[in-house]
Every structure is written in structure tokens, then in C-alpha cells.
Amino acid sequence: MSSLVEALLHGAGPGELERYELPAEYAAAHIRAADVGIFGDTADKDVRRTLHVGDVPMPALAPDEVVVAVMASSVNYNTVWSAAFEPVPTFEFLKRYARQGGYAARHDLPHQVVGSDAAGIVVRVGAGVRRWRVGDHVVVGCVQVDEQEPASHADAMLGTDQRIWGYETNFGGLAHFTVVRASQLLPKPGHLTWEESAGVMLTAATSYRMLVSDKGARIKQGDVVLVWGATGGLGAFAVQMVKNAGGIAVGVVGSERKARALRRLGCDVIINRNEIGMGRDAAPTPERTVELGKRLGREIRRQVGEDPHVAFDYIGRATFGISVFVVRKGGTVVTCGSSTGYDHHFDNRYLWMNLKRIVGSHAANLQEQAECNRLFRLGHLSPVLSAVYPLREVGEAARLVQQNRHTGKVGVLCLAPREGLGVTDPELRARIGEARLNPFRDTPGDADPASSAVLEGAV
């Protein structure tokens, strides 16, 4: 353990932290270029084979960057993609990025530190950093942008050099330290623990842009919103945002266990897809899509009295055609990602003849992230952790997500020695209450028989 780490764990102040040197190496979850191709034609690309935890070199710090000592992180599906080397190996992204030269060249290494969420303490700031200081408690947003690119000043997500940190860049958050741009930082909510605050920014901000932002569906009071995978990392935040906006949340889940978890969020209507014959068909035929859409539409009308205004769809191929079919005339399907496949099929007649819209969405710009983070800081949004693993077991954590056996978010402790640390506003935490802050944590009778840390998955 380095002197800097020891000082951090003993609550050292900014002056003391600045006196200690950064370690030359640090522990990190990483993938290796040498492993690309290891799976061959294997159908099950088990990420436990390719996610390694070990020491990697500390990179040099650019003037607009900071070094954050990572107390906790979380697993997002992009880490599964990275470790499975699909749809393409992320080392291709790193090589392209490195061709820019300068500090970008650091990213082309024989390893990639992965992870796109983090909460921790700033321990170094670059010469050009103005708004952050050593000792600040922060959460890290996943979007890196080129502030010198004109498009970024209209909407950072439109910039051609916008990248997702820890997926399209190196030095990600599943590690003891991470190097990020100062424009990725936001203040950590004081009433949340390290692991709670580390599991919100990527998914919650993505849901915020999809539903609330003027770049997304712009939901309003009374809107009926269909949320697929409503107990997943994206879906669970979407349900909360629909409720906050005065809308009617219709959550689709795959089991009674997940339905129980969803009830804790106060979801208005809960539909078990198995009970209406939807099963796990990853690629329904056009005829089957219409049949399932009619069944789902009838069930929503039975319980709500009308069709959805909005469908929130990150599931992709298995659900997208149903989403297009089931939203009302003039309705909106907002989509990001595709956990069941990117090749979407839908009957365009139901789109064009009924004046429906499809809105593509990706992550969130810094303003949207800040607005979303403010809701957490006010206690209007709650984390959705269901399990927490130590960094040394990150392969098991990622495997849980890969197999969709999780609910909400899966956290990872990095430098934090145990759960429950990092709270600086205990009064707000007490007012909100533990039940609201951790609606997905296991309670007696809800645990999966195979593991006390696992609830059934999101899709």
C-alpha cells in the first residue's frame, strides 16, 4: 500500500495528500490485447477469462486532467462488451484515438483499464484545471469531449471526438486510481456512500437525457411511459424519473422476484412479460411482433385505460418492433443500446401512418449530467444497488451483468475497505431513510437461492 493510499484511508486533508507522490503503479481491472481472439467461435464469451486484476503503470497527467483515487465503481454493460471483445475489440478504438498524438498517444497500450463509473477523491490536478482541488469528493461522468470542437458547445454528444471513458479510452474507473478530464467531474452527493454514488452517473444520466432532456422524449405530467427492463440499471432510474415528472410508469419485468423489487420503487403498473406470453424470444418475427404488441397493448389499456405516450427501450431487437407498435398515435420510442441485438426490425406502417417518432439517445452532456446529479443531491433520485463486490472479484461482478442475473446496479469497492463509507451529510441520509436509498438491496425472502447477492436480471 502506497503512502498516498494510507493517507487517504486515514482521512488526510488536501495539504497532506499533496505531499505524497503518486504511486508508479496501481491495481486495476484490465483487459489485454494478447487475449483478443481467445474466445474463437465460442458462444459463451465468459468475461471472467479476460478481466484481469493487477498492477498497471500510472499514466502522465495532461493539463486538463485530474487523478482521482477511486473509492468505488460499478459494472456497466460496456465493460462486458470490452471483456468479450464484441462487437469489436476496444483496442481498435484506442489505436485510432492515439493517432491524434500528444497526450492521446498514452491510450494505445497492450492493456486497457476498463470501467465507466467512479466515485472518489481528487488527489492531483493538471496545470489547466480551475474548478477542482485536491481533496474534493467527486463522481465521474463517462463522457469525454473535445472542448475545442464547435459542435461540443451546442451539445457535447454531437461532437465527433466525443468518447466514453473506460470503454473508448484507457484508464477507466474499475481501479484504485483513474485519470479523467476535469470536465467529467461533478460533486459527490454527501448523503450517499462511495458505492451508492459510484453506481449512478452513467445509467441515470443516460435515462435523464432519454426521458427528461429536450434532446429526448421530454416527458410531462400524465404521460404513460412504457419502461422495458424496468429493474435494470437504466430502467430503475427511468421509473423514478417518470414518477418524479408526474407520469404513469408501466414497467415490464421477467419474474415475480423482479416485480417485488419494482414495487419498492412505486411503479404504477407492473407487467410480467411471461404472463402475457412474451418469454425470451430474442428476435420475434413480424407476425409475432404484432401479436405480442396487441397483447401488451391490451394489458396496458386494461390497467391504465390508454396507450403509452413513450416507450423507453434499451433492450433492442427483442422489443423494438413491439415498442413501435404499442405507443399511441404521435407517440415516441426513445432508444439507446441494444442488449438483445442491434439489428432492429419493425413494421414501418405503424410508424409513418401514425406519426410516431424514434429518438436515438446516447449518454448525456455535462449539463444533463449536472441536472441529474442535482436530483441525487436533493434526494429526489435514489441509487439502485443490488450487490457489491471487491475489486479482486470484478470478474464475477461482470459475469453477473453479462448473464442478466442482476437487478439495478452492481457496485465494486476499489480503495474503500468496506461498504457504508463516504457519507458527509448524515442528516439528509437519515431524513430520506435507508429503505428509500437502497430499494433493491436484498431483504429476507427476496434473495436468489443461489446467491444472497443476486436478484434476477433486468431483461
Side-chain angles (χ1 to χ4, degrees):
M1 185 182 296
S2 72
S3 298
L4 176 58
V5 171
E6 288 186 4
L8 282 163
L9 297 182
H10 284 90
E16 186 176 352
L17 294 177
E18 288 176 330
R19 287 200 298 270
Y20 292 108
E21 300 236 346
L22 290 175
E25 296 183 322
Y26 63 100
H30 59 278
I31 57 175
R32 298 170 181 166
D35 288 339
V36 174
I38 193 173
F39 293 116
D41 295 328
T42 305
D44 181 14
K45 298 176 173 60
D46 188 339
V47 295
R48 292 173 296 186
R49 295 178 60 190
T50 53
L51 272 174
H52 307 279
V53 178
D55 287 346
V56 297
M58 179 71 72
L61 187 64
D64 62 345
E65 291 179 337
V66 303
V67 179
V68 175
V70 181
M71 294 296 155
S73 183
S74 69
V75 177
N76 293 290
Y77 209 82
N78 63 8
T79 291
V80 172
W81 290 329
S82 296
F85 306 116
E86 62 181 18
V88 295
T90 47
F91 290 100
E92 297 300 318
F93 303 149
L94 303 184
K95 288 182 183 298
R96 273 201 306 272
Y97 184 22
R99 291 188 197 116
Q100 293 183 6
Y103 284 100
R106 297 169 300 166
H107 293 260
D108 184 9
L109 295 168
H111 66 270
Q112 181 188 16
V113 180
V114 293
S116 300
D117 264 320
I121 302 172
V122 175
V123 293
R124 287 292 184 277
V125 297
V129 175
R130 298 178 297 280
R131 295 179 178 270
W132 301 98
R133 298 287 183 269
V134 170
D136 287 345
H137 288 202
V138 297
V139 290
V140 183
C142 67
V143 180
Q144 288 193 355
V145 302
D146 183 351
E147 296 169 348
Q148 298 179 36
E149 183 180 4
S152 295
H153 291 267
D155 178 9
M157 302 313 300
L158 297 178
T160 56
D161 281 327
Q162 170 267 315
R163 290 178 175 82
I164 300 301
W165 153 74
Y167 178 63
E168 295 168 300
T169 79
N170 220 318
F171 322 129
L174 286 164
H176 283 177
F177 292 91
T178 186
V179 175
V180 301
R181 292 185 180 169
S183 56
Q184 292 177 248
L185 300 183
L186 292 164
K188 173 190 168 293
H191 66 289
L192 298 182
T193 65
W194 291 121
E195 64 275 9
E196 290 166 350
S197 55
V200 300
M201 281 313 301
L202 186 150
T203 47
T206 298
S207 296
Y208 185 92
R209 181 179 174 103
M210 290 175 73
L211 290 176
V212 182
S213 167
D214 61 358
K215 308 296 192 299
R218 303 181 70 174
I219 58 173
K220 61 186 185 302
Q221 291 187 66
D223 277 358
V224 179
V225 182
L226 172 66
V227 180
W228 293 101
T231 54
L234 288 163
F237 289 125
V239 169
Q240 293 184 63
M241 291 174 193
V242 173
K243 296 291 293 178
N244 285 349
I248 300 168
V250 178
V252 181
V253 293
S255 71
E256 178 53 33
R257 189 185 310 278
K258 288 181 286 185
R260 288 198 300 271
L262 194 53
R263 290 186 190 103
R264 301 175 203 162
L265 287 182
C267 190
D268 299 283
V269 175
I270 300 171
I271 297 175
N272 186 330
R273 55 181 168 76
N274 296 305
E275 293 178 358
I276 58 174
M278 293 187 67
R280 290 185 175 272
D281 187 351
T285 64
E287 295 78 13
R288 178 72 171 154
T289 295
V290 172
E291 176 190 350
L292 293 173
K294 288 179 177 178
R295 290 184 189 178
L296 180 60
R298 281 196 297 268
E299 184 60 21
I300 294 172
R301 285 191 295 274
R302 185 184 72 80
Q303 297 200 48
V304 182
E306 52 186 295
D307 293 324
H309 296 78
V310 175
F312 178 93
D313 195 327
Y314 65 96
I315 307 302
R317 187 174 183 180
T319 56
F320 194 80
I322 301 170
S323 293
V324 172
F325 180 88
V326 82
V327 294
R328 68 177 60 199
K329 190 170 186 176
T332 301
V333 178
V334 61
T335 182
C336 79
S338 292
S339 59
T340 60
Y342 304 104
D343 187 12
H344 299 181
H345 296 269
F346 63 93
D347 189 328
N348 198 41
R349 293 172 297 178
Y350 297 109
L351 183 77
W352 109 69
M353 297 179 71
N354 290 294
L355 289 81
K356 301 177 184 182
R357 296 188 306 147
I358 296 173
V359 177
S361 189
H362 179 52
N365 62 42
L366 184 58
Q367 177 63 26
E368 292 160 341
Q369 292 177 54
E371 291 170 357
C372 182
N373 189 53
R374 174 177 174 267
L375 295 177
F376 282 101
R377 294 170 67 194
L378 292 172
H380 295 324
L381 287 174
S382 295
V384 290
L385 277 179
S386 63
V388 179
Y389 288 75
L391 181 61
R392 66 179 180 274
E393 296 178 16
V394 69
E396 294 296 335
R399 181 62 169 172
L400 193 69
V401 175
Q402 182 181 31
Q403 294 184 318
N404 279 325
R405 292 188 290 116
H406 67 302
T407 297
K409 293 302 297 287
V410 176
V412 177
L413 294 179
C414 296
L415 282 173
R418 63 182 185 278
E419 294 184 51
L421 303 177
V423 175
T424 57
D425 188 352
E427 291 81 9
L428 178 56
R429 188 176 183 89
R431 287 201 302 272
I432 295 171
E434 292 293 329
R436 274 188 57 202
L437 285 171
N438 290 286
F440 283 0
R441 291 311 293 263
D442 292 346
T443 57
D446 283 339
D448 190 311
S451 169
S452 63
V454 179
L455 292 176
E456 277 191 272
V459 179

